[in-house]
Amino acid sequence: MQDFVLDNQTSPMAFSDLQTSGKVYRNLAPAELVEHALARNEAVLTSTGALMADTGKFTGRSPKDRYIVRDEKTAKSVWWGDINIPFDEDKFDGLLEKMKHFLSDKDLFIRDAYAGADSDHRLNLRIINTWAWHNLFCNNMFLRPDSKELESFQHDFTIICAPEFQADPEIDGTKNSNFAILNLSKRMILIGGTGYAGEMKKGIFSVLNFILPHEKNILSMHCSANVGKDEDTAIFFGLSGTGKTTLSADPKRRLIGDDEHAWTEKGVFNFEGGCYAKVIDLSREKEPEIWDAIRFGSIVENTRFKPESREVDFSNKSVTENTRTAYPIHFIPNVMEPSTGGIPRNIFFLTADAFGVMPPISKLDKSQAMYHFISGYTAKVAGTEMGVTEPKLTFSACFGAAFLPLHPTAYATLFGEKMEKYDTNVWLINTGWTGGPFGRGSRMKLVYTRAMISAALEGALDDVEYQEHPVFGFKVPQSCPIVPSEILNARNTWADPDAYDKKAKELAQAFIENFEQFKEFASDDLLAGAPRI
């Protein structure tokens, strides 16, 4: 019987040692994990050497099966509801004991890693997996201690992930047999019944979204970030389909990270050591950096091969449209090492406005920035299914509602304070439609969007004329290098200006109705950023 000690002298976890009669593999190199995954029939190799693995029944996160233990630490601080579902302390302890028993004869893959490139604010993780490819995923996605750091490594947070373990809802208190449970007091995450590796990544993101703002007054953010030649840091917020990954991947700037960051008194730091990118319809022409990163040591999830080959067919949606790749950040060129940057000079909110209302670029004051940050707006095209062609409004608080344990106003207030303290510019960028809504207007040209972002970054918009938007109130530049001036005012691009006014008021009303859920906790400063009808 092998003893594997989960806790150490500095860990707050209070449970006995995990024991297994199986083998324990600690901090294996990627090549070793690939060998184990192949030998255990967990995955196969692609033509580029990447590991192809399936996640099973769940090809994405299961938000309705994600819980936070409600106890003295969290009872009054967590924003309880459909996103943060409470879980009983005793049920957690019982489920933990059942998982320990389940693991008592299993081979275990153990990884020590960091979450957070800033050593003053990082989490030291110990991850326990039953699947080798899951352990490789954690090697790719979290920060990797060197051999000297591992000698004295002391973990302060633990993930136990056993996809084969099924909960009994009637006994264990879960809704279904799959679960992801965060215990912020015992500093643990339990994951079972699902093979979707992203539950581990987003679980730690949720933990940092609690610890950093609540305990350290540090703003955590769901965003990408890069740095220019003058060491100027820029941040990009945006929901899926708005261009966050594409627009932050600028050959003239170094990438800090593509998904999870924090803003301290020193600047910005990345939580992760890798990228977890969507690959549906991936091509070398569209995303050369991601394409070239899919090589030995990388993972592709839920993809399929082209017939009679080991070449990945990135257009294949037979398993899911949420096909992904996970690779270490150094697999792409032009990255910051370490993954840190200075105080942001410019912040971009990206929205794919399918209603054609938002200007292609506008500048926000503090109140407007807080309001739009907490709104997290974009619009998705519904397609032609069942004859539906109208765009669908999408709001996600702070551009990442699913991962926010605290009330969104906590993050928005921190955001406003930092913006004001450091005199940071905040821009709203519409990567969606102009000249009318989807179906009548046209998509904003990427070359113009890039030109507008470059102009903002280079200060070319500092001294130009601005006009105030009559409904949303933000300032719209009247000229921008390379960009035709006639497209800068969205109303002027519509054939029927009155129709634009009507649609703008409809969109503004949707913002106001969405904000009702936050209004009780919002400051006057935040409320001042609302649109005017």
Side-chain angles (χ1 to χ4, degrees), residues 67-78:
Y67 308 90
I68 298 177
V69 173
R70 184 167 187 156
D71 55 21
E72 186 177 351
K73 185 184 186 74
T74 60
K76 295 182 179 180
S77 53
V78 168

Side-chain angles (χ1 to χ4, degrees), residues 114-422:
Y114 297 129
D118 186 332
S119 59
D120 292 334
H121 305 295
R122 66 176 34 147
L123 282 182
N124 290 5
L125 308 177
R126 177 153 293 165
I127 306 141
I128 302 163
N129 299 117
T130 56
W131 289 1
W133 83 261
H134 270 191
N135 207 243
L136 178 61
F137 175 91
C138 292
N139 172 79
N140 290 356
M141 292 310 306
F142 297 118
L143 292 153
R144 297 159 287 277
D146 59 32
S147 56
K148 186 174 182 180
E149 290 172 320
L150 285 173
E151 291 176 3
S152 57
F153 190 89
Q154 300 286 313
H155 73 284
D156 52 29
F157 216 98
T158 302
I159 303 172
I160 300 177
C161 181
E164 315 95 320
F165 177 83
Q166 304 283 325
D168 183 338
E170 291 188 6
I171 296 174
D172 299 321
T174 58
K175 182 180 178 182
N176 296 297
S177 59
N178 61 296
F179 57 88
I181 309 174
L182 283 60
N183 191 321
L184 294 162
S185 295
K186 293 187 175 179
R187 301 175 75 86
M188 296 186 66
I189 300 176
L190 302 183
I191 301 171
T194 173
Y196 185 66
E199 293 282 12
M200 294 181 284
K201 161 189 159 68
K202 289 304 186 185
I204 290 300
F205 184 42
S206 297
V207 168
L208 288 166
N209 281 336
F210 179 86
I211 291 175
L212 293 178
H214 183 63
E215 299 179 5
K216 298 188 176 186
N217 205 41
I218 291 172
L219 178 62
S220 54
M221 305 175 292
H222 190 207
C223 66
S224 59
N226 62 26
V227 176
K229 61 182 180 180
D230 296 327
E231 301 302 318
D232 61 300
T233 298
I235 291 174
F236 298 80
F237 290 95
L239 302 177
S240 178
T242 60
K244 177 171 61 113
T245 299
T246 299
L247 292 170
S248 62
D250 186 336
K252 298 179 182 177
R253 300 174 66 85
R254 288 165 290 167
L255 184 69
I256 299 174
D258 76 333
D259 199 36
E260 302 172 4
H261 297 82
W263 185 351
T264 71
E265 297 301 311
K266 296 186 295 184
V268 171
F269 71 88
N270 189 0
F271 291 166
E272 302 183 298
C275 299
Y276 193 36
K278 290 184 177 181
V279 294
I280 194 68
D281 293 325
L282 180 72
S283 68
R284 185 188 290 274
E285 292 72 29
K286 289 193 297 184
E287 300 285 358
E289 294 86 3
I290 297 175
W291 180 277
D292 291 337
I294 301 176
R295 52 189 171 91
F296 186 81
S298 297
I299 300 166
V300 284
E301 292 179 352
N302 300 316
T303 53
R304 289 294 179 264
F305 293 130
K306 294 180 178 179
E308 300 181 7
S309 78
R310 288 294 181 98
E311 184 180 350
V312 178
D313 180 3
F314 290 109
S315 66
N316 191 312
K317 305 175 185 178
S318 61
V319 180
T320 178
E321 290 196 9
N322 190 35
T323 53
R324 288 184 176 267
T325 180
Y327 52 85
I329 196 169
H330 62 262
F331 274 23
I332 59 175
N334 212 28
V335 296
M336 288 289 290
E337 294 184 12
S339 300
T340 60
I343 299 296
R345 293 187 197 172
N346 292 280
I347 294 173
F348 299 93
F349 295 163
L350 307 175
T351 179
D353 177 26
F355 296 98
V357 168
M358 296 297 187
I361 183 169
S362 48
K363 192 173 185 180
L364 281 59
D365 64 24
K366 177 189 172 185
S367 294
Q368 293 162 354
M370 293 166 67
Y371 188 93
H372 283 267
F373 181 64
I374 206 171
S375 297
Y377 164 70
T378 193
K380 296 181 179 179
V381 177
T384 56
E385 184 178 353
M386 300 295 291
V388 177
T389 58
E390 284 297 307
K392 182 180 179 181
L393 285 161
T394 302
F395 293 100
S396 182
C398 309
F399 299 94
F403 319 114
L404 304 182
L406 306 178
H407 193 280
T409 53
Y411 306 94
T413 300
L414 264 177
F415 180 88
E417 290 173 356
K418 288 186 174 293
M419 175 190 170
E420 186 173 50
K421 180 177 180 178
Y422 298 109

Side-chain angles (χ1 to χ4, degrees), residues 37-96:
L38 296 174
R40 292 157 58 93
N41 295 317
E42 294 178 2
V44 295
L45 282 179
T46 72
S47 59
T48 65
L51 202 63
M52 179 190 286
D54 280 0
T55 63
K57 175 183 177 181
F58 295 95
T59 57
R61 293 183 307 103
S62 184
K64 298 302 182 184
D65 299 296
R66 177 260 205 190
Y67 308 90
I68 298 177
V69 173
R70 184 167 187 156
D71 55 21
E72 186 177 351
K73 185 184 186 74
T74 60
K76 295 182 179 180
S77 53
V78 168
W79 185 38
W80 302 108
D82 293 339
I83 292 174
N84 299 308
I85 304 169
F87 199 78
D88 184 77
E89 290 181 81
D90 293 337
K91 292 293 186 182
F92 178 89
D93 293 340
L95 194 57
L96 173 59

